[in-house]
Amino acid sequence: MSRTLKLLFFATAVLLSACSKDVTLETRYVIRPLLQTSADDRQPKVVEGATAFAYYVDTTMWKVASYDDAVAGVITHKETGEQRNEPAAVSEPYTGNEVPKPAPEQRAATDAETEVSTEGWLQLHISSPLQMVVVVDPMNKIYAYTNQKLVENLHTLYSTVVFQAWKETTSYQSNGWSFYRDGFVPHDKIQCVVRPKAQLEQGGEESPLDNMRIYAYAVDTVEWSVPTYEDAANGVIVRKKSGEKRTNPEFNAYPQGESGDYTMEVNRPLVMVVAVDRTHRIYAYTRREINFEGEAPVLTPLFPVWRQKGRYAEGGWSFTNDKYLQEKNPAPKTHRE
């Protein structure tokens, strides 16, 4: 047999072998539905009661028209208004034991070091090159959908959907998903004024402070505190029991010219306000209930610079003077051997 014929025979055998292998798009699509309650929530919890379904259509032509439709598994054609109510796949609880490693973009929204449980995960059995996948969060009445492509012989595909309930909007997009919150009404807003002053001597004159950082979180000081000056200056609060940290204030105050006032717009009935005097390294925080029907609340923290004490409470504010904390707890000396 000539060399050419041998090569031809070998190539034909390889081709036939490749064609004989099973090729399939059948895929178990695993969904991890998570709920993020604040912008700096790094450990979102699984959405309780989440559901999902899929249609073999393209989201460029199809949509979910309402939350009720999402719950009922109904999609609507964007141009004709045609509706479909029989999904190609409906979710069921995830039955596998495998837990995938988080993708880089997912590590930003979750704590990759935390042991992951599969409780509350969903799975869909899909088999089209392209499908529209819909996930519903019944706790906050938010639904989301995306286009999902498949490749041959993938078998299992994982996806994380993070519902950001803290967002004050009826729709937004994140990581390829379109999220909708029908009928969401933003909270009322009110301008809050903070007028910080310093007192250098006991009983002395009160003077405005101009080197301040002032911000607020929608939390209660019963559960949250600011342990150190560095935390205060960096906008960090800490949950007293668990040590959980939040690093992105929901409301920030800004100076208003030379008046000495700082103002911020708040939209929560209860806030924790933190005021940091960066000149004297003193910070204070307070719990404030907001009445949206009344006049703009005015907060007047007085920083008693003269007081030689590390921590104390005065006028409804909890104060910490970093200078006297450092003197009480000096850093350990290091000795060169």
Side-chain angles (χ1 to χ4, degrees), residues 48-90:
E48 296 182 8
T51 58
F53 59 89
Y55 281 89
Y56 296 155
V57 299
D58 191 330
T59 58
T60 58
M61 297 301 297
W62 293 82
K63 66 178 181 179
V64 178
S66 68
Y67 175 76
D68 290 339
D69 282 354
V71 172
V74 176
I75 62 172
T76 301
H77 196 280
K78 294 180 179 180
E79 294 183 355
T80 67
E82 173 195 350
Q83 290 191 324
R84 295 186 184 180
N85 57 11
E86 295 183 358
V90 177

Side-chain angles (χ1 to χ4, degrees), residues 4 8 13 23 40 48 83 106 134 138 214 234 312 323 335:
T4 302
L8 180 60
V23 176
D40 50 4
E48 296 182 8
Q83 290 191 324
Q106 294 170 357
V134 184
I214 301 174
N234 290 305
Y312 52 93
K323 174 183 177 181
H335 298 279

Side-chain angles (χ1 to χ4, degrees), residues 177-213:
W177 290 81
S178 297
F179 294 81
Y180 298 90
R181 198 175 190 178
D182 296 347
F184 174 75
V185 179
H187 293 84
D188 292 334
K189 296 180 181 180
I190 194 169
Q191 196 86 339
C192 181
V193 179
V194 183
R195 191 170 293 154
K197 291 185 178 182
Q199 189 180 54
L200 301 181
E201 298 178 357
Q202 185 173 7
E205 182 182 353
E206 300 175 4
S207 56
L209 285 165
D210 58 5
N211 187 22
M212 299 288 297
R213 181 176 183 187

Side-chain angles (χ1 to χ4, degrees), residues 32-317:
R32 185 187 181 197
L34 300 179
L35 175 64
Q36 188 181 48
T37 57
S38 65
D40 50 4
D41 181 3
R42 298 296 180 183
Q43 294 182 332
K45 304 297 188 295
V46 171
V47 176
E48 296 182 8
T51 58
F53 59 89
Y55 281 89
Y56 296 155
V57 299
D58 191 330
T59 58
T60 58
M61 297 301 297
W62 293 82
K63 66 178 181 179
V64 178
S66 68
Y67 175 76
D68 290 339
D69 282 354
V71 172
V74 176
I75 62 172
T76 301
H77 196 280
K78 294 180 179 180
E79 294 183 355
T80 67
E82 173 195 350
Q83 290 191 324
R84 295 186 184 180
N85 57 11
E86 295 183 358
V90 177
S91 65
E92 57 189 32
Y94 175 52
T95 57
N97 296 318
E98 296 181 2
V99 176
K101 293 183 179 180
E105 65 273 12
Q106 294 170 357
R107 293 192 188 104
T110 61
D111 184 353
E113 302 300 323
T114 302
E115 184 177 347
V116 178
S117 168
T118 61
E119 184 178 356
W121 291 21
L122 306 171
Q123 65 183 25
L124 293 167
H125 295 281
I126 52 180
S127 59
S128 174
L130 178 68
Q131 41 265 303
M132 173 185 186
V133 179
V134 184
V135 185
V136 182
D137 167 14
M139 297 176 61
N140 300 282
K141 293 189 175 182
I142 306 174
Y143 59 95
Y145 57 83
T146 189
N147 264 342
Q148 181 61 61
K149 295 181 179 179
L150 296 180
V151 298
E152 296 174 351
N153 298 330
L154 183 59
H155 303 303
T156 301
L157 177 61
Y158 296 90
S159 179
T160 297
V161 186
V162 182
F163 292 88
Q164 298 171 313
W166 53 270
K167 288 195 171 181
E168 295 270 316
T169 181
T170 56
S171 65
Y172 62 94
Q173 293 186 336
S174 178
N175 292 328
W177 290 81
S178 297
F179 294 81
Y180 298 90
R181 198 175 190 178
D182 296 347
F184 174 75
V185 179
H187 293 84
D188 292 334
K189 296 180 181 180
I190 194 169
Q191 196 86 339
C192 181
V193 179
V194 183
R195 191 170 293 154
K197 291 185 178 182
Q199 189 180 54
L200 301 181
E201 298 178 357
Q202 185 173 7
E205 182 182 353
E206 300 175 4
S207 56
L209 285 165
D210 58 5
N211 187 22
M212 299 288 297
R213 181 176 183 187
I214 301 174
Y215 53 89
Y217 284 91
V219 300
D220 196 328
T221 56
V222 173
E223 298 180 358
W224 295 81
S225 68
V226 185
T228 69
Y229 176 80
E230 285 69 24
D231 286 338
N234 290 305
V236 177
I237 62 172
V238 180
R239 189 184 288 273
K240 296 177 182 179
K241 289 186 177 180
S242 66
E244 173 193 349
K245 291 186 176 182
R246 293 190 58 181
T247 60
N248 187 18
E250 291 163 277
F251 315 105
N252 288 283
Y254 300 96
Q256 302 301 304
E258 299 180 357
S259 66
D261 289 354
Y262 290 74
T263 63
M264 59 183 169
E265 198 171 56
V266 299
N267 61 359
R268 293 292 193 277
L270 177 64
V271 292
M272 172 184 182
V273 181
V274 183
V276 186
D277 174 5
R278 292 180 288 199
T279 300
H280 303 102
R281 293 181 65 86
I282 304 173
Y283 66 92
Y285 61 86
T286 189
R287 177 185 188 274
R288 181 71 184 222
E289 295 183 1
I290 305 297
N291 178 12
F292 294 97
E293 297 181 357
E295 296 182 356
V298 179
L299 285 71
T300 56
L302 176 62
F303 288 77
V305 180
W306 55 270
R307 189 184 294 277
Q308 299 180 14
K309 195 173 182 180
R311 297 189 192 277
Y312 52 93
E314 190 170 293
W317 292 78

